[in-house]
Amino acid sequence: MRVYVFACVYACTRVYHVSVCTVSGSGVLGGASGRPSSLPMSGFSEARVPVNEIRIQPLLGVAPLGPVQFTKERMFHLAMLEASHNHMPLATDSERTRTTVPRNPCNTPSYHHQHPPMQCDTFDFFQRLSPETLFFIFYYHEGTKAQWLAARSLKKQSWRFHIKHMMWFQRHEEPKLITDEYEQGTYIYFDYEKWQQRMKEGFIFEYKYLEDKELV
């Protein structure tokens, strides 16, 4: 005597229909009474057998053995993949840096500079610029290599960018209070609306608003 199990899966309803029947050498036996049916072995599709319905969790359709806890190495790889997806290179990253093209070119006397200075797109050149010039480049050349070089030069001069106020701050003196979340003291900041450096006493600089990415 052999036992056959027929299962039909309906993915849209997530219902598994399981049919169980007992088969002897002569045909299909119905129920526990063992009475043979009139159908031959080839008539399985036409046999009337009881059908039971069970419901399983949708997750078991994807992971029949249940959820598996990721290892630290696996979590690290997934984090690296997500970081790579969020920082995919752009087509412009492979392009050569272009020099500034004036919108309204005009003829100037020969004793003026006719071409940009040599190596004007290097970090050493930007370090020789004044803070006001660096502020101008940072706020008016957004999304360019010049803005990146200006920010790097300002950080080299102990300026720190506040991502909430969108301003550059510099310590005027050592903070009077330092905690794990903020520091309080007197700061000099650059006001881009009035285009001047101003002083703020008793300012609380929260570290969560500090732009602390390494610009290398």
Side-chain angles (χ1 to χ4, degrees):
M1 181 178 296
R2 294 185 297 273
V3 177
Y4 290 83
V5 179
F6 304 93
C8 300
V9 182
Y10 298 90
C12 59
T13 59
R14 298 186 178 91
V15 177
Y16 283 67
H17 292 271
V18 180
S19 302
V20 181
C21 62
T22 305
V23 181
S24 66
S26 60
V28 180
L29 300 181
S33 61
R35 289 177 297 179
S37 65
S38 60
L39 295 176
M41 289 287 292
S42 60
F44 284 160
S45 60
E46 301 177 1
R48 296 183 180 181
V49 293
V51 177
N52 297 326
E53 295 184 0
I54 59 174
R55 295 183 179 272
I56 65 173
Q57 298 179 1
L59 178 61
L60 296 179
V62 180
L65 300 180
V68 179
Q69 188 68 24
F70 288 155
T71 61
K72 292 184 178 180
E73 182 180 3
R74 181 64 174 174
M75 294 296 295
F76 175 77
H77 290 164
L78 293 176
M80 292 297 99
L81 287 175
E82 184 177 1
S84 302
H85 176 74
N86 295 333
H87 300 84
M88 291 189 299
L90 304 176
T92 56
D93 294 339
S94 60
E95 296 180 0
R96 186 177 180 180
T97 304
R98 301 178 182 179
T99 57
T100 304
V101 178
R103 296 182 179 179
N104 301 312
C106 61
N107 297 325
T108 57
S110 59
Y111 50 81
H112 284 295
H113 291 289
Q114 302 297 320
H115 301 283
M118 296 296 295
Q119 298 182 348
C120 62
D121 58 347
T122 61
F123 179 62
D124 294 335
F125 177 84
F126 273 70
Q127 282 187 302
R128 299 195 298 266
L129 301 178
S130 63
E132 286 74 15
T133 304
L134 295 176
F135 290 138
F136 175 83
I137 297 174
F138 178 82
Y139 287 110
Y140 285 91
H141 290 77
E142 185 177 357
T144 62
K145 181 181 179 181
Q147 185 191 36
W148 177 77
L149 290 171
R152 186 180 175 187
S153 301
L154 288 170
K155 286 191 172 184
K156 189 73 173 180
Q157 301 178 17
S158 300
W159 288 90
R160 297 295 180 264
F161 189 68
H162 197 289
I163 60 177
K164 180 180 179 181
H165 299 295
M166 303 298 291
M167 294 182 179
W168 289 90
F169 284 77
Q170 188 183 58
R171 289 178 178 176
H172 180 68
E173 58 185 11
E174 287 297 321
K176 298 179 181 179
L177 178 62
I178 298 179
T179 65
D180 295 336
E181 298 179 354
Y182 66 89
E183 62 182 49
Q184 184 177 7
T186 303
Y187 291 84
I188 298 175
Y189 68 96
F190 182 78
D191 189 349
Y192 60 86
E193 294 181 348
K194 298 184 178 180
W195 207 258
Q196 62 180 359
Q197 296 185 20
R198 308 181 68 178
M199 183 179 297
K200 183 72 172 180
E201 297 181 357
F203 179 74
I204 299 178
F205 200 123
E206 299 183 60
Y207 294 142
K208 65 180 181 180
Y209 297 126
L210 172 64
E211 202 285 315
D212 56 353
K213 295 181 181 179
E214 292 293 336
L215 301 178
V216 294

